[in-house]
């Protein structure tokens, strides 16, 4: 697992702490630390000799600041170097808590998007009354077209089946009411498209769902929305659990999300990630890799996914 | 208080129950029941003679269905009759749990919008760590322009001061990060407008805020967003409190919201309102009326608000 040591508001300290925890928690985990050797050295020094054998370092010094344009992820930045390491086969997956836009852009450019994916989506898994709800997009693309929303429904359904073992996922489109026609223009255009679309495996479209469903999962296992709404929603749910005095038994709002639609395993952690969140993100990346999730999602979606699009057209903001 | 007896998924039963509770809870409350006489009669029969003196009835039979176009609020519907009763002075305020779009459209057409308000906004008050957060819009206008978002910041600030006694409200624009430039096109356009705008009273703009702030209120007392995002957010927070096993001490996510920007006091209850929610909505309308909130918000905003716009141009969806 390639870890971006400089990504995140409190990097490198929390990233080092999180990576340490991940190495101690999982005896089969090997990390490729991407960042300054001094920072990597501090982490290695804290490990016992047997654990040190599971660490390699790729020295890199530059970082994409949260306020930078995402395309600032030049070749010498940690996120770009980490993605390149995955592309070259030095690592199986990538974890970064840096600028989401920069990570998505770097992953799309270097790993390549799947041919029918214009904009990759970030999928978060939330605890629900009976199992898990997959919410996407939570920040990959803030203003997706109806076609991208519909594509995300298929990506999310395949991901729910592969990563969370939901055999026949119910897929809903988030809106302000459940009656057909409710919502803004993007929802009104996307709803009939999804109604007519074939979803992967045994997934089925259940129509419009509301905000409750993101938390309760009563009507849907996969909730599709734009990256703007998904992002503020996820953070509001985290805030609500804090206000209510604690997380539900199944866990709280996740601070790590999987990037779907690129040819590789990429996990994006919250910019304000704590060490626990980094460790969770690394564990999620390892889980996805061990399940061969990217390939299985691709297989469920059908089509030839080796013809990757790596043009420079993709932009996220 | 004019009450729309036929508005809401479970009308008239829950509306009758809610109105009963409101009359019993508040000895100074007078209700104008707008709906079928049979339904109003059932409510009146449940009251003792002294309470009956506080009820009048405006017989109306037609209703706007949730799936109808909002402009279907013809003159003979309950919501249109209730708004007309407020306009004519038979009632001081209106409470409906019917189609939000129909209520907003009827209020804008019959009561009139304030001259600088293109689309009225729904404001909800949520419990926060230290006091209250006013979230708007929660469903009045799903795709507002940057100018409407900026206008809503002023409306929300004035409302927070008048209705919730927040003396110097901090106003934030909801986005996916706090750094300038974060967000979709609407947010990137609105942020500098708000940075340069004069807000009413002692309110001040604090910049971009995130989803947490809607629940915690750490950075802002007024959180401005579009009606689509606000609506799904409010329902997700309600779902999160249910998942977490209960509401925070200050109360849960509200199921009644005040309509701002029209020349009258209008409260919209959630379509799936329960009797408690209807009673809360009536209590909110009474609270606003007793505080002379509409006039005081208008005074804080300045300008001549008697020149009401009542053209037929306004549309909500």
């Amino acid at each position: 697992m390639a870890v971006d040591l400089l990504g995140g508001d409190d990097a490198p300290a929390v990233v080092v702490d999180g990576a340490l925890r991940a190495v101690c928690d999982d005896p089969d985990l090997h990390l490729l630390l991407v960042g300054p050797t001094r920072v990597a050295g501090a982490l290695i020094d804290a490990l016992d000799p047997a654990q040190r054998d599971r660490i390699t370092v790729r020295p890199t010094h530059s970082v994409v600041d949260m306020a930078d344009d995402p395309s600032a992820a030049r070749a010498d930045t940690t996120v770009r170097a980490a993605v390149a390491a995955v592309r070259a086969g030095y690592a199986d997956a990538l974890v970064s808590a840096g600028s989401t836009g920069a990570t998505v852009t770097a992953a799309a450019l270097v790993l390549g998007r799947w041919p029918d994916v214009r904009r990759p989506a970030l999928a978060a898994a939330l605890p629900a009354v009976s199992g898990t709800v997959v919410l996407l997009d939570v920040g990959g693309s803030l203003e997706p077209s109806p076609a991208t929303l519909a594509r995300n429904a298929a990506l999310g359904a395949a991901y729910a089946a592969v990563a969370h073992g939901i055999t026949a996922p119910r897929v809903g489109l988030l809106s302000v009411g459940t009656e057909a026609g409710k919502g803004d223009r993007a929802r009104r255009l996307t709803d009939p498209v999804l109604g007519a679309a074939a979803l992967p495996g045994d997934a089925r479209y259940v129509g419009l769902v509301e905000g409750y469903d993101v938390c309760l999962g009563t009507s849907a296992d996969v909730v599709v929305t734009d990256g703007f709404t998904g992002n503020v929603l996820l953070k509001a749910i985290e805030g609500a659990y804090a206000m209510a005095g604690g997380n539900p038994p199944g866990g709280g709002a996740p601070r790590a999300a999987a990037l779907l639609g690129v040819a590789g395993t990429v996990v994006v952690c919250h910019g304000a990630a704590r060490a626990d969140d980094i460790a969770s993100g690394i564990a999620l990346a390892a889980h996805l890799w061990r399940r061969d999730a990217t390939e299985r999602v691709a297989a469920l979606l059908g089509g030839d996914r080796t013809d990757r699009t790596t043009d420079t057209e993709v932009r996220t903001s």
Side-chain angles (χ1 to χ4, degrees), chain A:
Chain A
M1 302 294 122
V3 177
D4 174 1
L5 287 178
L6 295 185
D9 300 345
D10 301 312
V14 297
V15 183
V16 168
D17 273 2
L20 265 174
R21 288 186 205 189
V23 170
C24 297
D25 287 350
D26 183 343
D28 296 323
L29 188 75
H30 291 247
L31 295 185
L32 174 68
L33 306 177
V34 184
T37 47
R38 181 188 50 76
V39 173
L43 194 156
I44 292 167
D45 289 347
L47 294 170
D48 66 40
Q51 290 172 325
R52 285 176 199 170
D53 290 346
R54 296 192 273 127
I55 308 289
T56 37
V57 180
R58 177 160 294 253
T60 318
H61 292 268
S62 180
V63 67
V64 183
D65 192 79
M66 284 292 181
D68 285 344
D69 189 277
S71 60
R74 298 177 312 275
D76 62 342
T77 57
T78 49
V79 67
R80 189 70 176 265
V83 174
V86 173
R87 177 82 168 99
Y90 297 121
D92 295 322
L94 151 71
V95 179
S96 177
S99 154
T100 301
T103 306
V104 173
T105 303
L109 289 176
V110 177
L111 299 175
R113 291 170 283 142
W114 289 340
D116 42 5
V117 171
R118 275 188 59 81
R119 290 163 188 271
L122 280 167
L126 290 99
V129 170
S130 54
T132 298
V133 164
V134 171
L135 173 69
L136 80 168
D137 181 15
V138 298
S141 173
L142 301 186
E143 292 171 275
S145 64
T148 293
L149 282 172
R151 193 70 209 143
N152 287 354
L155 285 170
Y159 180 77
V162 168
H164 296 285
I166 303 171
T167 48
R170 300 161 300 158
V171 179
L173 179 65
L174 188 63
S175 195
V176 298
T178 57
E179 302 90 356
K182 286 276 177 189
D184 59 4
R185 192 176 137 79
R187 288 359 106 153
R188 294 197 305 275
L189 288 172
T190 307
D191 182 36
V193 173
L194 280 174
L199 288 175
D202 295 323
R204 65 192 166 87
Y205 180 58
V206 297
L208 301 179
V209 298
E210 297 187 84
Y212 323 105
D213 288 297
V214 177
C215 296
L216 303 175
T218 317
S219 310
D221 306 298
V222 176
V223 174
V224 178
T225 192
D226 61 276
F228 182 87
T229 305
N231 187 285
V232 298
L233 211 54
L234 193 61
K235 291 171 180 169
I237 292 167
E238 184 178 327
Y241 289 153
M243 270 299 285
N247 288 329
R255 293 187 135 208
L259 187 66
L260 305 182
V262 296
T265 304
V266 177
V267 167
V268 173
C269 292
H270 194 298
R274 298 162 303 227
D276 276 348
D277 305 320
I278 299 286
S280 298
I282 295 171
L284 171 61
H287 168 82
L288 295 176
W289 172 254
R290 285 164 184 158
R291 287 205 171 199
D292 198 14
T294 305
E295 292 308 311
R296 288 173 61 204
V297 167
L300 261 178
L301 291 169
D304 178 10
R305 250 136 258 286
T306 56
D307 175 25
R308 302 180 290 202
T309 308
T310 52
D311 60 22
T312 54
E313 210 189 277
V314 68
R315 283 291 300 274
T316 64
S317 55

